[in-house]
Amino acid sequence: MAFRTGGIAIAMAILGVAAAEAEEAASPEALAVEARGIVGRFADKLKGELVGAMKEGGPVAAISVCNTAAPAIASEASTGGWIVRRTSLKLRNPATAPDAWEAETLARFDAAKAGGADPTKLERAEVVESGGQRNFRYMKAIPTAAEPCLACHGTNLAEPVKAKLAELYPDDKATGYSAGDIRGAFTLTKPLP
Ligand code: HEC
């Protein structure tokens, strides 16, 4: 028994060293691959919950799901040192406001899209230093789809949808979008050792 416990302790120590080395050696390219994977899983999960809620209870019920599930899924995706959020230049949830690097990236995405770039392909990955801390940062644009996005982010919202949004988000700026517009972006940060 004592031997087995010792064996496990040694195995864990070796794993710990390997993990620390992997962390130090992770290149920006490898981190970008990791970030894309996290965004893909986050987007799938969010869209699944949203579409399910829309089918089950319509857009008004789905607003409540977005209100609680979106931040919950974001914090669930925030593992392995990553901080995962969504942000936008025209916010619904004021707690998702962009910082300077994010705002600049969102402006670049809009400019690229205006210049004819495919909004589903826009991303930016960079090592950014702030206050002595180096962070790997990654953003990926979120285009607006006609279905289901415009029911809650478009121009002609149904009255009950408008009323529910006004109740939950009195400062809502996230309406008036058309299909293909960039609604915002996924934004990931990982502090580097
Ligand atoms: C049922 C209504 C509804 C639908 C449909 C909907 N959203 Fe939203 N969206 C919301 C709500 C509510 C929030 C605020 C969530 C929160 O409190 O964090 C939000 C927030 C966001 C945000 C975060 C930035 C911000 O403004 O707070 C993005 C990005 C976003 N939505 C994109 C989309 C996209 C893309 C689609 C289509 C795939 C979509 N939404 C469909 C209701 C909706």
Side-chain angles (χ1 to χ4, degrees), residues 130-164:
S130 96
Q133 172 65 48
R134 288 167 72 246
N135 292 304
F136 178 80
R137 304 198 68 172
Y138 175 83
M139 282 178 75
K140 183 168 196 325
I142 305 175
T144 310
E147 293 274 342
C149 315
L150 295 184
C152 299
H153 294 293
T155 309
N156 297 310
L157 305 193
E159 281 307 323
V161 171
K162 265 194 213 165
K164 186 74 189 173

Side-chain angles (χ1 to χ4, degrees), residues 16-182:
V17 170
E21 273 174 5
E23 184 128 31
E24 245 172 72
S27 64
E29 292 75 18
L31 289 165
V33 169
E34 210 183 314
R36 284 185 200 109
I38 292 170
V39 164
R41 288 190 293 277
F42 180 38
D44 284 351
K45 178 121 203 243
L46 201 54
K47 200 151 184 196
E49 295 249 353
L50 179 63
V51 170
M54 294 277 280
K55 271 199 192 128
E56 210 167 295
V60 175
I63 290 170
S64 312
V65 173
C66 281
N67 176 251
T68 51
I73 296 170
S75 54
E76 201 181 291
S78 298
T79 57
W82 290 94
I83 301 155
V84 180
R85 299 168 50 242
R86 292 188 303 170
T87 188
S88 174
L89 291 174
K90 282 171 59 186
L91 293 166
R92 176 153 292 164
N93 178 355
T96 62
D99 67 15
W101 189 83
E102 289 167 332
E104 195 221 315
T105 306
L106 287 163
R108 282 193 193 189
F109 286 169
D110 280 339
K113 198 228 149 206
D118 176 355
T120 65
K121 302 244 151 49
L122 295 172
E123 59 171 7
R124 182 183 186 188
E126 212 170 279
V127 175
V128 180
E129 190 167 333
S130 96
Q133 172 65 48
R134 288 167 72 246
N135 292 304
F136 178 80
R137 304 198 68 172
Y138 175 83
M139 282 178 75
K140 183 168 196 325
I142 305 175
T144 310
E147 293 274 342
C149 315
L150 295 184
C152 299
H153 294 293
T155 309
N156 297 310
L157 305 193
E159 281 307 323
V161 171
K162 265 194 213 165
K164 186 74 189 173
L165 288 173
E167 178 197 321
L168 289 172
Y169 305 97
D171 278 331
D172 188 17
K173 308 252 184 322
T175 58
Y177 285 89
S178 305
D181 287 346
I182 295 174

